[in-house]
Amino acid sequence: MSGPLVMGIESSCDETGVGIVRGRELLANEVASSVELHVRFGGVVPEVASRAHLEAMVPTLQRALDTAGIEPAELDAVAVTAGPGLMGALAVGVAAAKACAYAWDKPLYGLNHLAGHVAVDLLDHGELPTPFLALLVSGGHTSLLLVNDIAGDIVEIGTTIDDAAGEAYDKVARVLGLSYPGGPVIDKAATGDPRAIAFPRGLTARKDQAKHRHNFSFSGLKTAVARWVETAEAEQTPYELGDVAASFQEAVCDVLVTKALDACTTYGVDHLLVGGGVAANSRLRSLLAERAPAAGVTVRIPRPGLCTDNGAMIAALGAAVVTAGQPPSSPDFGATSSLPVSRVRVG
Ligand code: KG4
Ligand code: ZN
């Protein structure tokens, strides 16, 4: 396989990631997570994350080069997450990428983290169909995207009006006394009956169709779980944690799958790609496999290890952007904490 040799650097949240790809071939994907430092706070502490990136960046870069078995001189480009994410955390990656690009005399691309979550599937399932729909589900974002070209033509057709799906997992985990990050823990704890408790499905009522057909809302669900647990505890009614976790998870996944397949129908698209940390969820994956065939939709989801934040996704997007012939970013670009998903590459 051939294609540009690209190093991708990711530091938008709590994972320091460095990936190296040659076109659509993954050569290295080194991730150093600072998650343990945040567990006792129940969420990512930005200053702690920034410092951890600073400490982990050079060793992670070195490990990626060693694993790929390449010399920096061989690289065609360096790519880095320019946003969205935590400002201080992003700044560490951008500074590191600029230093590498300058020292090695390589073109530098400042890229969009969210587009990276979609592009990473190039490494697992090859060339992308045109167009396709992407369901992006992470800790900070939940969106439906119409992707005409991953290197530069992405239109957001829906998003969350309050909490992101991953955020709902993290907050509900806290309510249930489970640890951070909540997604994998609830995924594992959801061993009970998914129909035990009928939790609300946000923005799926008929009245929401006009304005919010492709939008999401998870904050009502989070509150409903909190109230349900409070009531059960106040009344001293014993309950199975597995039932609450499974019922919450079913509500999230049911909404995500229903809305994603509905959007495919609306836009006449027959391929759905799912990306972001929540795409690692076992129930989301099984529910999509159950329901997509009847809707005539082919589903692509990267392996779970590529769904959560990593550098390979930025390298994969970088290779797509280089292949599309796009110019590098201006050397003075900065990190943009609220970079919109439609801006795949910063100028
Ligand atoms: O994409 P990601 O690694 O970071 C962001 O860009 O936000 O996503 C992290 C989010 C967290 O909220 C985490 O709880 C969630 O993804 N997550 C999961 C699973 N693994 C990670 N949510 C549900 N099920 C999982 N298996
Ligand atoms: Zn992410």
Side-chain angles (χ1 to χ4, degrees):
M1 218 189 282
S2 63
L5 186 62
V6 180
M7 169 183 275
I9 298 176
E10 154 63 32
S11 71
S12 66
C13 192
D14 57 349
E15 332 278 354
T16 311
V18 181
I20 299 176
V21 305
R22 190 186 301 278
R24 300 199 294 259
E25 185 191 358
L26 179 61
L27 303 182
N29 184 28
E30 295 296 323
V31 179
S33 178
S34 65
V35 69
E36 278 93 52
L37 301 177
H38 308 289
V39 169
R40 69 193 171 103
F41 301 106
V44 176
V45 182
E47 284 309 313
V48 174
S50 307
R51 182 164 290 275
H53 284 305
L54 213 48
E55 285 168 8
M57 188 57 73
V58 172
T60 310
L61 270 163
Q62 194 56 59
R63 277 207 311 280
L65 287 165
D66 292 347
T67 306
I70 63 146
E71 293 296 328
E74 296 173 62
L75 287 169
D76 293 304
V78 175
V80 63
T81 301
L86 303 171
M87 197 58 198
L90 289 166
V92 177
V94 169
K98 284 185 178 180
C100 291
Y102 185 73
W104 302 335
D105 194 20
K106 303 294 174 189
L108 175 62
Y109 292 79
L111 302 180
N112 191 303
H113 177 84
L114 307 176
H117 272 306
V118 178
V120 74
D121 195 56
L122 283 162
L123 306 175
D124 265 353
H125 301 110
E127 199 172 338
L128 296 166
T130 312
F132 64 95
L133 224 115
L135 170 66
L136 178 79
V137 271
S138 71
H141 294 82
T142 297
S143 298
L144 282 166
L145 311 172
L146 182 62
V147 185
N148 294 302
D149 177 3
I150 190 61
D153 186 352
I154 301 181
V155 182
E156 186 170 68
I157 61 164
T159 189
T160 178
I161 61 166
D162 41 55
D163 293 352
E167 192 179 351
Y169 267 96
D170 296 337
K171 288 177 174 171
V172 165
R174 213 185 303 188
V175 165
L176 298 178
L178 301 171
S179 69
Y180 175 84
V185 188
I186 291 185
D187 200 351
K188 211 176 273 171
T191 50
D193 178 3
R195 282 159 308 199
I197 309 153
F199 285 130
R201 269 71 168 156
L203 300 184
T204 55
R206 190 177 286 269
K207 68 175 170 54
D208 298 316
Q209 290 297 298
K211 197 166 164 221
H212 291 300
R213 181 166 185 163
H214 303 306
N215 287 336
F216 301 91
S217 167
F218 293 107
S219 107
L221 169 61
K222 164 200 69 191
T223 308
V225 177
R227 293 285 164 275
W228 192 94
V229 171
E230 268 169 31
T231 307
E233 282 171 3
E235 292 171 355
Q236 295 184 325
T237 315
Y239 63 88
E240 291 291 332
L241 182 69
D243 285 344
V244 184
S247 300
F248 159 74
Q249 174 152 284
E250 195 67 11
V252 174
C253 297
D254 181 21
V255 170
L256 292 174
V257 172
T258 303
K259 289 201 173 238
L261 294 178
D262 175 57
C264 287
T265 309
T266 309
Y267 285 85
V269 173
D270 59 7
H271 279 82
L272 172 70
L273 199 157
V274 189
V278 182
N281 185 263
S282 63
R283 184 56 183 149
L284 179 59
R285 298 169 87 97
S286 68
L287 206 55
L288 277 164
E290 268 172 41
R291 292 200 198 154
V297 171
T298 305
V299 177
R300 292 170 55 142
I301 317 183
R303 73 189 92 148
L306 290 181
C307 289
T308 44
D309 291 350
N310 63 78
M313 65 194 230
I314 303 305
L317 179 60
V321 165
V322 170
T323 304
Q326 296 215 18
S329 301
S330 146
D332 63 352
F333 80 85
T336 306
S337 61
S338 58
L339 191 68
V341 66
S342 54
R343 279 184 71 202
V344 174
R345 176 189 62 89
V346 300

